[in-house]
Amino acid sequence: MLSFPEVLVAKKAIVWPEIEKYLAGLVLLPSYCQIPKKYSPLVSFHQKITAEYPRRQGKYLRPTLVLLTAEAMGFPQEKALKTAAAMQVSEDWLLGHDDVEDNSQERRGQPTLHRLYGVELAINAGDALHILMGKILADNFPLLGQKKALAIEEEFYQMLSRTALGQTAEIKWTQENRLNLTDEDIFFILDGKTSYYTIAGPMRLGAILANGSQKQLVSLYQFGQILGRAFQIRDDLLDLTSDFAGFKKQTGNDIYEGKRTIMLAHLLRSAKGRDRQKLLKVLAKKREEKSDEEVLWVIKAMEKYGSLSYGEKLTRKLAKKAGEFFEKNLGFLKKEPARSQIRAGIDFMVERKY
C-alpha cells in the first residue's frame, strides 16, 4: 500500500490538471466582452499572478481527503474531482488574503504574493481565485444534479464561514495583544481555521457526494475537530522548531506575527518574574520591531518552561483520541484502500516534518 505522502502525490497528480484547465480558461470571455489584443500583456500578467499560488502547489491534503472519503464510501473519483479542485482553489485564495493579513514573508518556500506584487494586486489575485472556485462549483450541477451540487455549495458556505470567524478571532485577539487566553480559546480559533476547514469539511464534502447520512456527517465533524486540533498544534510546533524540509527560511513566524498558539498561551501562564516581563515586552512589539534574537529568546523560553513539550504531549493525546474515534465511529468508511489510507493519514498529520 502507498504511504500517505505517496497518496498525496498521487491525488495531486489527478487534481492539479483539473485546476490547471480552469486557470487556462481564466480570461476566456464570451464574444460580447472580448478583450482587445492590445491588452494581451495585461491579461497575461493577470493570469500569471492569479495562478502563482496554485502553481506552487501545497501538500494537497484537503482535496485528497475529499477524494479518499468519497472513495471509502463507494463514490467514483472522477465525479468527485471538481469538488476536490474547488477545495484546493479555496486554500489558494484564502492563503493569499491570509498572507496580507499577517504580513507573512514566505509561502511554499518563495516570497508571498504581496511582497512580490504589492498588497492591492495580491488581494485581487485572491479575489480572482475565489471567483474561479465559484465557477468550479457551478460546473458541479450538470455533473452531480441540482440537489447534490447545492448540498456541496452549502457545505462550502458553512465551512468557509466558520473559517472566517476563526480568522476574525485570531486577528482581533492578536491586535488586542490578549495575554489571558486559555486552551479553550485557542481551540475556538483552531476549530474554524483548521478542524473544520482542513479535516472535517473536506471529509464531509466527500461524504455528501456519497450520500452520507446526517449522523455520518456529524461523526466526520467530530473526528475532524479532534484531528484538526492535533494537526494545527503540530504545524505550530514545526513553525518553532523546523525549516519545513528546507521550504521555510524563517523560524518562529507565529511569534513575529504575534499569533496566539497553544504553546504561547502555555508560556504566558508559566513564565515568571523577569522572563514574563521580557515576554510581555516582545509581544507588545509589531512584527517589524521584533529582532531575531528576541524571537529566538521566546522559543528558548518555551523550552525552559515546558511549553514545547506541553504542545507535543497534547498533539499525541489528540492523535490517539482521533485514532480511537476513527475505529469506533467511522466504520462506514469501509472501501479499501481508501479506508486504510485515511487511517495512515492520522499518523502522518501528527508525525510530519513539514
Side-chain angles (χ1 to χ4, degrees), residues 83-154:
T83 303
M87 187 72 235
Q88 180 59 37
V89 170
S90 77
E91 179 186 358
D92 290 324
W93 71 257
L94 279 170
L95 287 177
H97 289 172
D98 187 68
D99 286 343
V100 170
E101 291 164 351
D102 295 338
N103 193 22
S104 299
Q105 294 187 334
E106 295 177 15
R107 177 61 61 187
R108 296 169 183 161
Q110 299 179 51
T112 50
L113 204 59
H114 71 280
R115 290 185 178 271
L116 289 173
Y117 301 107
V119 169
E120 296 87 353
L121 286 171
I123 292 174
N124 194 62
D127 290 344
L129 285 174
H130 193 172
I131 295 163
L132 190 66
M133 180 193 76
K135 168 61 175 169
I136 299 172
L137 289 174
D139 287 347
N140 253 339
F141 280 78
L143 180 67
L144 303 176
Q146 183 172 351
K147 183 178 179 180
K148 189 171 290 186
L150 281 172
I152 292 294
E153 286 201 336
E154 176 66 19

Side-chain angles (χ1 to χ4, degrees), residues 4 7-8 11 60-72 84 87 197-207 223 227 333 341-343 345-346 349:
F4 195 73
V7 172
L8 291 174
K11 296 305 184 187
Y60 270 53
L61 172 61
R62 296 164 186 85
T64 294
L65 288 177
V66 173
L67 296 179
L68 288 179
T69 304
E71 291 169 45
M87 187 72 235
Y197 180 69
T198 299
I199 312 294
M203 294 187 75
R204 281 169 57 91
L205 286 167
F223 170 73
L227 184 57
L333 302 176
Q341 289 170 343
I342 295 171
R343 182 63 185 85
I346 298 174
M349 289 178 215

Side-chain angles (χ1 to χ4, degrees), residues 5-269:
E6 289 173 330
V7 172
L8 291 174
V9 171
K11 296 305 184 187
K12 183 189 295 188
I14 295 167
V15 177
W16 166 243
E18 183 75 5
I19 296 173
E20 194 172 31
K21 178 182 70 177
Y22 277 95
L23 289 170
L26 193 64
V27 288
L28 293 179
L29 299 173
S31 57
Y32 65 83
C33 61
Q34 282 292 301
I35 307 297
K37 287 186 177 180
K38 67 177 182 178
Y39 298 117
S40 293
L42 186 62
V43 170
S44 296
F45 175 74
H46 175 68
Q47 284 186 296
K48 177 185 176 183
I49 63 172
T50 301
E52 177 78 25
Y53 275 13
R55 290 193 183 281
R56 292 184 188 182
Q57 299 184 4
K59 290 186 287 290
Y60 270 53
L61 172 61
R62 296 164 186 85
T64 294
L65 288 177
V66 173
L67 296 179
L68 288 179
T69 304
E71 291 169 45
M73 296 180 70
F75 190 78
Q77 178 175 265
E78 61 272 17
K79 293 187 73 174
L81 191 54
K82 289 190 186 300
T83 303
M87 187 72 235
Q88 180 59 37
V89 170
S90 77
E91 179 186 358
D92 290 324
W93 71 257
L94 279 170
L95 287 177
H97 289 172
D98 187 68
D99 286 343
V100 170
E101 291 164 351
D102 295 338
N103 193 22
S104 299
Q105 294 187 334
E106 295 177 15
R107 177 61 61 187
R108 296 169 183 161
Q110 299 179 51
T112 50
L113 204 59
H114 71 280
R115 290 185 178 271
L116 289 173
Y117 301 107
V119 169
E120 296 87 353
L121 286 171
I123 292 174
N124 194 62
D127 290 344
L129 285 174
H130 193 172
I131 295 163
L132 190 66
M133 180 193 76
K135 168 61 175 169
I136 299 172
L137 289 174
D139 287 347
N140 253 339
F141 280 78
L143 180 67
L144 303 176
Q146 183 172 351
K147 183 178 179 180
K148 189 171 290 186
L150 281 172
I152 292 294
E153 286 201 336
E154 176 66 19
E155 183 63 20
F156 263 82
Y157 166 73
Q158 298 294 348
M159 172 180 64
L160 292 172
S161 292
R162 182 63 182 87
T163 303
L165 175 59
Q167 185 76 342
T168 294
E170 182 174 75
I171 293 172
K172 189 172 188 295
W173 289 343
T174 299
Q175 288 177 341
E176 294 171 349
N177 195 24
R178 287 278 299 275
L179 303 173
N180 60 343
L181 295 180
T182 64
D183 285 0
E184 183 181 12
D185 295 327
I186 304 298
F187 285 150
F188 176 77
I189 296 173
L190 304 191
D191 285 349
K193 291 193 60 182
T194 308
S195 294
Y196 201 161
Y197 180 69
T198 299
I199 312 294
M203 294 187 75
R204 281 169 57 91
L205 286 167
I208 290 168
L209 289 169
N211 298 315
S213 68
Q214 282 303 309
K215 182 179 179 180
Q216 289 169 340
L217 291 173
V218 170
S219 291
L220 287 171
Y221 179 82
Q222 293 169 336
F223 170 73
Q225 186 177 49
I226 301 165
L227 184 57
R229 291 175 176 183
F231 178 92
Q232 188 59 56
I233 298 170
R234 169 62 64 206
D235 208 59
D236 295 340
L237 281 167
L238 288 172
D239 177 70
L240 296 166
T241 61
S242 170
D243 66 351
F244 279 76
F247 281 101
K248 184 168 71 70
K249 297 179 179 65
Q250 188 175 58
T251 298
N253 278 308
D254 289 345
I255 298 171
Y256 281 102
E257 295 166 9
K259 284 189 176 181
R260 270 42 188 169
T261 65
I262 284 289
M263 283 68 69
L264 181 61
H266 180 274
L267 181 60
L268 282 165
R269 294 194 297 268

Side-chain angles (χ1 to χ4, degrees), residues 293-327:
E293 291 75 18
E294 286 173 325
V295 171
L296 181 60
W297 178 87
V298 174
I299 296 173
K300 292 292 184 183
M302 287 180 174
E303 292 178 359
K304 175 181 177 181
Y305 286 96
S307 303
L308 297 181
S309 61
Y310 178 79
E312 183 68 38
K313 290 175 183 176
L314 186 54
T315 298
R316 295 189 180 281
K317 178 182 177 182
L318 288 166
K320 183 175 183 291
K321 186 177 178 182
E324 293 170 349
F325 189 97
F326 180 87
E327 298 299 339

